[in-house]
Amino acid sequence: MTRKQRRGVLIGTCLAVLGVAVGLVLYAMRDSIVFFYGPSDVAGMEMAPGQRFRLGGLVEEGSVERGTGTTVRFVVTDGAKTLPVTYTGVLPDLFREGQGVITEGVLEPDGVFHADNVLAKHDENYMPPEVAAKLKEQGVWRDETGADGPESKVN
Amino acid sequence: MIAETGHYALILALAVAIVQMVLPVIGTRLRDPQLTAVAVPAAQAEFILIGIAFIALTTAYVTSDFSVLNVWQNSHSAKPLLYKISGVWGNHEGSMVLWVLILALFGAAVATFGTNLPRQLQANVLAVQGSIAVAFLLFIIMTSNPFARLDPAPFDGQGLNPVLQDPALAFHPPFLYAGYVGFSMAFSFAVAALIDGRIDAAWARWVRPWTLAAWMCLTIGIAMGSWWAYYELGWGGFWFWDPVENASFMPWLAGTALLHSALVMEKRDALKVWTILLAIITFSLSLMGTFLVRSGVLTSVHAFAVDPERGVFILGIMAVFIGGAFALFAWRAPLLSQGGLFAPISREGSLVLNNLLLTVACAAVLVGTLYPLALEAVTGEKISVGAPFFNLTFVPLIVPLLIAVPFGPLLAWKRGDLYAAAQRLMVAAIVSLGVMIVALAINQKGPWLAPLGIGLGVWLLMGAATEIATRVKLFDASSTESWRRARNLPRAAYGSALAHAGVGLMVIGLVATTAWRTERIEALAPGGTVDIAGYQLKFEGVAPRQGPNYQERVAVFEVTRDGNPVTELRPSKRAFAVEKSATTEAGIHNSWRGDLYVVLGDELKDGGYSIRVYFNPMVRLIWIGALVMFFGGGVSLSDRRLRVGAPKRAKPKSKTATVAAEGR
C-alpha cells in the first residue's frame, strides 16, 4: 500500500464513522427530545396524542391526594393556569406542597397529566431554572433561593 | 485568626503562582538557567501555601467555627466528624480550594520528582500549571472566598445537605477532582511541547503515568458517584445521563483515548499532533465540567443555587485556556515532525480506531449535553435530552469499539495479521457465542438484544484472557516456559488485560440489570407480602429510631426464598431537623444473582405504606468492573518503565533480547 492509499483508508474510515454519528444524532434528535412546558403553555397549545413532555410548576397547596393505593394525585400550577397530575409510585423525599416540581409523562384526553417520573432535587431551596423562568413569566415568582439558603454541590 | 491565616495563605499562593507562571518562561526564552530554575521552588511553595489554606478551612470545619460564613452554611456541631471534614468540599468555595490544592500537588510532584526531565520542558510545564493556578486562585479570591466571616457568629450551623452525608460521597469529589486536575498535567505537557516546538517519544513516556493516574482517579470517582446514586437516591438507578454526569464522563472518554494514543506515540513515535490535540481537548472538557456544574446553566440533579457572576468568570477562564491552547496549537503544531508509518491493519491502526470511536462517541455526548442550551439560547424553547438520546447515539458508536477491543493487543506494530489474530480469538468467540445462546434460551422476557450484550461482555473477558494466554504461549510451549514468560511479562500487559476485562464485567452488569430488572410498586399494610424474583417480602411494620443528627422511620421486611429465611431488610426514611430535609435509605440484599432493593414510600390514609421493590440482576458487576479497571490502571502504573524517575533499563546485550522485547 502506498502512503497515499493508507491516508485514503484513514480519512475514509474517519468520514464513515463521523457520517454514521451525525446520522444517529439527527435521528435521535427527532425522536427522543422531551420538551418542557408550564400549565399555561399546555392550555394554549394542541398536543399530539401520546406526546411525552415535561410539566413544571409549583405543587398547589392542599392539592395532594393520597388514596389507599400507590397512586397520588396533585395539581401543578404556575399561578395563572393549573393542570391535574396523577402519578403511581413513590414520590421523591423533597416533594412538598408549595414547592417546585418537574414531572414527565403524557397528557391524556381526559385532561389529566399521567406522569411516570417525578424529578427529585437534592436541595430544598433549589428551584429548577425552567420552573423559575415560567413562574417569572406568570409573575408569581418569590425569591426562595435567598442568600441564607445552603448552597451545596455534589460535583 | 485561623481563617485569616488561610485567606492570607491563598493570596500569597496567588503571588507565588504568578511568579511560577512568568519567570520560568522568560528564563527559557533568554536561556537563563537561574530564572528557569525558579519554577521548582515556586511550585513547591505554592503547594505548601494552598495546603495551609486547606488545613485552615478544615480546622474551621472540625472545630465548628461558625463565625466563618462557609462553615455556618454547610456544617453543624451535631454532625459526625467524617461529614464535618467532607463538608469542606461539599460546597462550592471549599471544593474550589480542594481543586487548586490537587492542582498544586501535581505541580509540586513534577517539581520534586521530575528531576530527570529536561530542564526547559520541566520549567515550561510548571509555568503552564502556574497559569492554571493563577486563574483559579483569582476566581476563589474574587468571587468565592471560603474564609468570609460572619459577625455576630451564629450559635449553630445550617448543616450539610443530608444526601451528601454519606461515606461514598465523602470521597467522590476528591477522586473526581484528582481526575479532572490530573488531566491538567497532560495539558501542561502538551502546551509546553508546543511552546518548545519539539516533541518526541520521551515526552509520551513522561505524560503517560500522569494521564494514567488521572484516568484511574476519574474512573473510581465516577464509579463512586454512580454507586452512591444507586443506593442513596432510592430510584435504584446508577446512571441518568444527567448533564453533570456527562460532564465527568466526557473527560473520561477523551482521557481513555489519550491513554491509547500516547501509547502509540511512546512506542512508535507516531500520532504526535493528534496526541497533543487530545491532551488539550481532554483538559478542556474537564474545565467545561467545572463550568457546567458551577454556572447554573444546566438543569440537573447536581446543579444547585448558583451565582451567575461565577459562571461568567469560569467561562472567561475556559475561553482563555481553551482558546489560547487551540491558537497555540494552530500556530505551532505544523512544526512537529511526522513519524512512524503503519498499515491500516496494525496495532497502531487498531489504536487509531479506538481513538476515532471514543472521540466521536464523546462528541455525541457533548452534542446531547449542550444542545438544550443552544436551542434555548436561539429559540427560547426548553427541552431535555435524556437517556433515549444517549442510548440511540452513544451505544451504537461504542459497541463496534468493544467488539474490536480483543483484536487490538493481538496485532503486531506496523503491520498486523488480522487472520492470525482471529484464529487466536477462536476459543473466545466460541465461548461468547455459547453464552449468548444459553442467555437467548433462558431469556423469556426482556429485549432480544440483551443476550447479544451479555455475549459481548463475555467476549471482552475472554479476549483479555486470550491476550495473556497468547503472550505466555499457553499450551504452545512447555508449562515451565509459559510460567517463565508469565513472570517476565511487563506489568503494563497485565494492566491493560485487566482493564479490558473490567470493561467486560461492566458490560455484563449494565446489560443484565437494564434488560432483566423487575420492579414492583405496592401499597402494603403491616403483615402484607410482596413476591419478586423468587423472593417473598413480608412487611412487619414501621418503627421510629433516633440517629446522631436525624430521626428516622425504619420499616422491617422479613425476606424468604421458597419458605427459607434469607435476611431482614430495613429501609428507612430519615428526617433531618437542622437541614429541614429528608432522605431515603434503601434496604439492599446482595447475592450472586443480584440485588434485592426495597424503598419505603409515603404513609397512606389507611395506615399502610407505599413500597417500591426492585430486583436488579448482577448490578454489582458494574462497580466491580470499574474497580477492576482501576486496579488494571494501578498494575500498569507500577510497571517500572512507567515509574516516574525510574532509571532506564540497560540496553539489551544480545540480539535475542531485542527480539524478545519487541515481541511484547
Side-chain angles (χ1 to χ4, degrees), chain B residues 184-201:
Chain B
S184 75
M185 289 308 312
F187 174 83
S188 297
F189 270 93
V191 172
L194 286 173
I195 293 175
D196 260 1
R198 244 174 340 115
I199 188 167
D200 50 21

Side-chain angles (χ1 to χ4, degrees), chain A residues 11-24, chain B residues 353 356-357 360-361 397:
Chain A
I11 293 173
T13 317
C14 289
L15 287 181
V17 171
L18 270 178
V20 169
V22 169
L24 285 170
Chain B
L353 183 70
L356 178 65
L357 288 168
V360 170
L397 288 172

Side-chain angles (χ1 to χ4, degrees), chain B residues 370-405:
Chain B
L370 295 186
Y371 180 64
L373 290 178
L375 190 72
E376 191 181 342
V378 175
T379 67
E381 284 209 89
K382 296 179 196 311
I383 59 162
S384 78
V385 173
F389 174 85
F390 295 103
N391 292 342
L392 267 173
T393 54
F394 180 77
V395 175
L397 288 172
I398 215 72
V399 164
L401 174 64
L402 297 180
I403 293 172
V405 162

Side-chain angles (χ1 to χ4, degrees), chain A:
Chain A
M1 237 186 233
T2 64
R3 196 182 178 122
K4 211 171 185 180
Q5 282 172 320
R6 281 176 185 170
R7 187 167 293 170
V9 169
L10 188 67
I11 293 173
T13 317
C14 289
L15 287 181
V17 171
L18 270 178
V20 169
V22 169
L24 285 170
V25 165
L26 290 180
Y27 175 71
M29 284 282 179
R30 220 185 44 193
D31 277 5
S32 57
I33 298 287
V34 180
F35 282 82
F36 179 94
Y37 301 116
S40 301
D41 301 324
V42 177
M45 64 194 297
E46 277 297 312
M47 203 66 75
Q51 189 196 335
R52 289 179 66 79
F53 65 96
R54 285 188 171 187
L55 172 73
L58 296 175
V59 181
E60 196 169 64
E61 296 278 356
S63 73
V64 179
E65 271 178 58
R66 286 198 172 87
T68 50
T70 52
T71 300
V72 186
R73 293 167 180 282
F74 54 92
V75 174
V76 169
T77 175
D78 55 11
K81 289 278 187 342
T82 61
L83 197 65
V85 178
T86 81
Y87 171 67
T88 300
V90 176
L91 287 167
D93 297 321
L94 297 175
F95 178 89
R96 291 206 197 112
E97 290 184 355
Q99 295 272 352
V101 69
I102 293 183
T103 63
E104 189 173 322
V106 177
L107 186 64
E108 295 294 336
D110 56 3
V112 178
F113 187 71
H114 288 249
D116 48 32
N117 199 357
V118 174
L119 294 193
K121 293 292 161 184
H122 289 181
D123 186 331
E124 75 275 21
N125 290 313
Y126 174 76
M127 178 69 71
E130 290 96 336
V131 175
K134 292 289 178 198
L135 294 179
K136 276 177 187 156
E137 276 171 27
Q138 302 298 333
V140 290
W141 169 253
R142 290 169 292 138
D143 194 5
E144 290 182 36
T145 53
D148 60 349
E151 240 175 48
S152 43
K153 185 105 337 32
V154 178
N155 252 317

Side-chain angles (χ1 to χ4, degrees), chain B residues 243-255:
Chain B
V244 174
E245 291 172 344
N246 295 347
S248 67
F249 189 48
M250 288 185 282
W252 187 88
L253 288 170

